[in-house]
Amino acid sequence: MGKRICEALNCLIEVLFPDKKFCLYCGKLEEYRFGLCNFCYAEVLKNKMTNKILRQYPLKVSFDEAYSVFRYEKMARDIIIKLKYKEKIELSLVIAYFMKELLDELNLKFDCIVPVPIFKSKKSKRGFNQALAIADNLSRLTFVPVLDCVEKIKNTKSQTLFNDFDRWYNVKEVFKCKKDLTGKTVLLVDDVFTTGATAHYVSCALKECNAKKVIVLTFAS
Ligand SMILES: [Zn+2]
C-alpha cells in the first residue's frame, strides 16, 4: 500500500476504531504498537540483541560507542529490505520507535542526529536515503534536530560485494562533513551495521569537523 493511501486510511480508521491502525509491515488492521500489529511486534522481538553495545572491530575505530537494536536476521532484516528496496518508507517510523526505546533504556544524550549519507546518483535512483528517513522520524520522537551534514563524495561499490576486510578499503575517504560540530555529541544513524567500516569513516569526517563524541546507532547488525 502507498504511504499516502496508508495515511489516509489510518485517519479514517482512527475515527471509526480509535485503538486500531494498519500494521506498517503486514497491513493487518489491529491494535498497534511501534507501528506494528501484535503478531509482527512479537515476531521482530525475537531478533533483539542480547548485548546492544557492539565491540568487535578489526581496526581501531573513530566513533566512541556503537549500539544496535536487533540482529540482522529474519524479520528485522526483512524490515530493512522492504524499506530500502521496496520503498516502504513508512517502515522508517517503525525503526525509529525501536531506536527511541533503546535510547531511553540506555539514557543516551546527544545534540544532533546525523544520517549516514548515500551517493547522489543512488539517492535519485532510490528516491530517498533510508538513513535520513529514519533520522527524521527519530527527530520527531526525541525532539533532537537532524543535521544532514555529511556528503558521500565518491561512489563506491556495494559493501555486500566485499569480504569483511576489504569493506574497510572500499569506503575509505569517501565522506565529507560540511558543518562545524565543535562541542557536539553526534548520534550517527544508519539501518545496518556490518563491519563498522562505514560508521568509522563517517565518524572520521565528523571528528575532523570537531565533533566531541560520536555515538553510532543502527537498527540491525
Ligand atoms: Zn503486522
Side-chain angles (χ1 to χ4, degrees):
M1 213 180 313
K3 192 189 172 201
R4 289 257 163 81
I5 301 171
C6 222
E7 273 172 5
L9 281 173
N10 271 337
C11 284
L12 179 67
I13 296 299
E14 248 169 63
V15 179
L16 299 173
F17 315 98
D19 299 331
K20 292 184 175 179
K21 278 186 178 181
F22 285 109
C23 171
L24 296 175
Y25 181 81
C26 75
K28 192 164 143 198
L29 178 62
E30 207 180 73
E31 200 184 323
Y32 194 75
R33 188 167 175 167
F34 286 10
L36 299 173
C37 68
N38 289 326
F39 177 80
C40 292
Y41 181 77
E43 232 7 68
V44 76
L45 286 191
K46 292 179 188 165
N47 310 132
K48 256 204 168 172
M49 299 274 288
T50 40
N51 194 356
K52 284 150 189 116
I53 185 154
L54 309 169
R55 291 183 198 279
Q56 296 199 331
Y57 318 108
L59 307 175
K60 188 172 164 22
V61 290
S62 60
F63 47 83
D64 299 270
E65 293 158 21
Y67 301 89
S68 181
V69 190
F70 293 105
R71 295 183 300 274
Y72 188 64
E73 59 182 39
K74 298 190 179 121
M75 190 159 152
R77 183 181 55 206
D78 212 37
I79 286 176
I80 289 170
I81 290 171
K82 281 191 173 176
L83 165 69
K84 248 169 145 160
Y85 302 107
K86 302 201 171 149
E87 294 167 20
K88 285 198 86 172
I89 194 170
E90 59 273 26
L91 286 170
S92 59
L93 177 63
V94 174
I95 291 175
Y97 276 128
F98 281 104
M99 284 181 164
K100 167 73 164 63
E101 186 185 53
L102 183 68
L103 291 170
D104 289 345
E105 194 185 310
L106 300 168
N107 197 23
L108 294 173
K109 301 273 179 269
F110 44 92
D111 304 300
C112 56
I113 303 172
V114 173
V116 167
I118 56 177
F119 194 63
K120 272 185 222 136
S121 66
K122 208 167 177 182
K123 194 170 175 174
S124 48
K125 207 169 141 200
R126 190 182 293 158
F128 67 101
N129 172 5
Q130 74 281 359
L132 176 60
I134 296 167
D136 280 340
N137 277 312
L138 194 57
S139 172
R140 272 179 219 130
L141 299 174
T142 57
F143 304 103
V144 176
V146 173
L147 282 183
D148 190 12
C149 60
V150 181
E151 217 180 334
K152 192 168 182 186
I153 48 179
K154 250 192 277 176
N155 200 5
T156 49
K157 289 182 181 155
S158 170
Q159 288 285 73
T160 52
L161 301 171
F162 295 92
N163 64 34
D164 283 3
F165 199 72
D166 290 337
R167 282 178 188 222
W168 287 82
Y169 293 97
N170 185 40
V171 290
K172 203 175 171 212
E173 289 163 0
V174 301
F175 299 103
K176 203 171 172 61
C177 178
K178 299 172 287 183
K179 226 178 168 86
D180 179 57
L181 298 168
T182 301
K184 286 201 189 323
T185 296
V186 176
L187 185 75
L188 178 62
V189 163
D190 204 359
D191 51 354
V192 190
F193 188 102
T194 311
T195 61
T198 301
H200 167 70
Y201 288 113
V202 175
S203 175
C204 285
L206 295 169
K207 294 240 165 135
E208 268 166 32
C209 283
N210 309 313
K212 185 172 80 181
K213 186 174 175 184
V214 178
I215 304 169
V216 179
L217 176 62
T218 58
F219 182 62
S221 72

